[in-house]
Amino acid sequence: MKLSNILSNGLKGNLDSLLQSIDYDRLFVLTDTNTLKLCMPLLDIPEGVYTKICIPAGEENKTLESLSHVWQCLSHGGASRNSLLINLGGGMVTDLGGFAAATFKRGIRFVNIPTTLLAAVDAAVGGKTGIDFFGLKNEIGAFAPAEAVIIETGFFKTLDRKNFLSGYAEILKHSLIHSVEDWKKLLAFDLEDIHYNRLSDLLIDSVRIKEKIVAEDPVEKGIRKALNLGHTIGHAMESMALESGHPVLHGYAVAWGIVCELYLSMIKTGFDKNKLVQNVRFVKERYGIFSFDCKQYDRLYELMQHDKKNASSKQINFTLLKDIGRVEINQTATREEIFESLDFYREYFC
Ligand code: NAD
């Protein structure tokens, strides 16, 4: 996807001109049960011009069954290789819909219209699509870029605060890997009284950071790993929370993971302590506490060893920072250093 295909100034105008510019025979719109109610009315495409497909909301439905339902609807609706699918929803819908499109008749085109902040800044851009399988997240999938991504902050007005903050953590991550200026703007943004036009500007800058990195390294052989900051320890926390029956939102786990990985950055690549402390304060105030004790360190470590990003289970791969905007990919840390970062987290948070 070219950078110019991220559209952000007016949903109706963007969508009309996009649909006019694409030569397709049939149009399908995929939603989940929530975005059907809350977001579809904003889309304003005349009935009869498209076929609706709806899947149940929630990560537990990012399954083969939902995927099969989408394929069936495409098939029954007469979709051909020349049809177009619009994915209107959060990351669950854009991931699953993107994968359905990538595989139906060996690939039809799709457009993502993300309706959560997390999807706008992360899931809908970058071409990773897929479903969960046998309890493993994103186990089956494909790299398949959207024809275009239309970002409309108006959708986020119905998001609950937790889902809003979850997406904001990925924006924070993008600023950390990009520049001090972006990072300062993010820390200063008023999350209590959201100004949606300003959010739109932050968001577009953030998406461009991801898109630029993805354009350089679409299949994560090198610099795309920069986007993994906070995710090695964050994913382990997310999985441990899921195992304990108290799941946490992805962005929350990333925010907590960023704290630990910036600590590792401080001891291994010289990240500045004051900036670490500012991040810790920001995360603690917005995202609260993920409680665990030292008896759970071994389990967290095991989960990190199973991370898809490792070249081998003996070496856990991290993306660290020398400074804000100065990324060091392919870093490793010893078990002791990782445990030290968990100690640091607990000292500040618990
Ligand atoms: P989600 O799509 O499940 O949305 C969260 C909840 O918000 C759902 O209940 C949904 O129905 C609801 N919702 C969506 N839009 C809404 C709106 N405007 N107002 C009110 N409610 C709304 O989850 P998510 O947090 O958007 O995304 C998480 C998914 O994204 C995961 O499956 C994750 O694996 C995936 N992801 C993919 C990538 C990628 O690169 N492909 C990156 C990050 C995350």
Side-chain angles (χ1 to χ4, degrees):
M1 187 177 61
K2 291 188 247 59
L3 293 180
S4 57
N5 287 359
I6 300 166
L7 310 169
S8 60
N9 47 354
L11 176 66
K12 176 105 181 87
N14 275 326
L15 187 60
D16 285 351
S17 48
L18 182 72
L19 292 181
Q20 274 164 23
S21 72
I22 299 177
D23 176 28
Y24 61 87
D25 56 4
R26 281 173 205 267
L27 181 64
F28 295 79
V29 180
L30 173 67
T31 64
D32 70 22
T33 36
N34 292 330
T35 61
L36 177 64
K37 260 194 304 208
L38 297 168
C39 306
M40 196 72 194
L42 301 189
L43 203 58
D44 197 22
I45 311 180
E47 293 276 341
V49 170
Y50 66 96
T51 305
K52 267 184 218 163
I53 308 177
C54 182
I55 53 176
E59 184 69 22
E60 64 279 17
N61 295 302
K62 197 173 150 185
T63 58
L64 194 54
E65 288 69 40
S66 305
L67 178 66
S68 166
H69 175 71
V70 177
W71 283 331
Q72 273 177 41
C73 293
L74 289 169
S75 198
H76 292 160
S80 75
R81 284 288 285 283
N82 204 30
S83 297
L84 182 70
L85 175 68
I86 294 179
N87 297 315
L88 178 69
M92 194 282 267
V93 168
T94 58
D95 271 15
L96 188 142
F99 188 51
T103 44
F104 186 79
K105 292 193 192 285
R106 297 204 183 91
I108 63 170
R109 290 162 301 167
F110 65 98
V111 169
N112 284 336
I113 307 186
T115 62
T116 64
L117 195 53
L118 186 85
V121 77
D122 199 2
V125 280
K128 284 188 185 174
T129 69
I131 57 163
D132 303 335
F133 192 61
F134 270 131
L136 296 170
K137 260 186 75 86
N138 303 325
E139 184 67 353
I140 311 289
F143 282 101
E147 284 296 299
V149 178
I150 300 181
I151 293 178
E152 165 58 50
T153 51
F155 286 124
F156 310 144
K157 292 182 181 167
T158 51
L159 269 188
D160 59 39
R161 183 165 170 80
K162 282 198 149 186
N163 271 296
F164 190 91
L165 283 175
S166 181
Y168 205 78
E170 295 287 359
I171 306 184
L172 175 69
K173 178 199 75 183
H174 286 162
S175 75
L176 282 165
I177 60 180
H178 189 248
S179 75
V180 175
E181 292 70 36
D182 285 352
W183 175 69
K184 284 188 177 158
K185 272 194 229 162
L186 275 202
L187 295 200
F189 185 74
D190 187 351
L191 284 164
E192 304 310 316
D193 181 17
I194 292 157
H195 189 299
Y196 284 89
N197 285 344
R198 266 184 229 139
L199 175 68
S200 187
D201 294 342
L202 285 186
L203 194 51
I204 293 309
D205 288 348
S206 193
V207 175
R208 299 256 182 251
I209 295 168
K210 174 163 182 183
E211 264 305 308
K212 191 163 169 287
I213 291 173
V214 171
E216 271 178 54
D217 176 22
V219 289
E220 204 168 300
K221 293 276 181 253
I223 193 60
R224 187 165 180 166
K225 293 180 189 172
L227 298 169
N228 295 335
L229 176 70
H231 282 64
T232 305
I233 297 182
H235 270 157
M237 289 175 165
E238 193 177 2
S239 303
M240 196 167 80
L242 194 64
E243 282 176 354
S244 70
H246 301 287
V248 295
L249 290 180
H250 175 72
Y252 276 62
V254 169
W256 297 320
I258 285 174
V259 167
C260 297
E261 294 181 22
L262 288 184
Y263 177 83
L264 285 177
S265 299
M266 184 184 76
I267 62 170
K268 295 192 66 76
T269 50
F271 189 77
D272 177 59
K273 185 168 182 195
N274 289 330
K275 289 180 187 146
L276 166 65
V277 170
Q278 281 186 69
N279 274 289
V280 170
R281 276 203 210 109
F282 180 84
V283 171
K284 188 173 176 183
E285 277 165 24
R286 292 348 180 259
Y287 295 88
I289 296 163
F290 177 61
S291 291
F292 57 96
D293 60 35
C294 51
K295 289 191 223 83
Q296 291 165 294
Y297 286 14
D298 283 329
R299 182 62 190 142
L300 282 169
Y301 188 75
E302 266 170 33
L303 288 163
M304 286 175 223
Q305 284 178 308
H306 289 128
D307 197 309
K308 281 202 273 292
K309 300 186 286 296
N310 300 329
S312 90
S313 64
K314 290 197 186 77
Q315 284 209 323
I316 297 170
N317 191 292
F318 287 97
T319 292
L320 301 180
L321 298 183
K322 261 185 188 310
D323 194 357
I324 293 175
R326 294 179 63 199
V327 180
E328 295 282 306
I329 60 168
N330 294 331
Q331 299 296 301
T332 56
T334 63
R335 184 186 173 94
E336 289 68 34
E337 287 165 338
I338 294 171
F339 283 15
E340 195 181 315
S341 78
L342 298 174
D343 282 342
F344 170 80
Y345 174 91
R346 287 179 54 236
E347 200 173 301
Y348 266 91
F349 278 72
C350 302

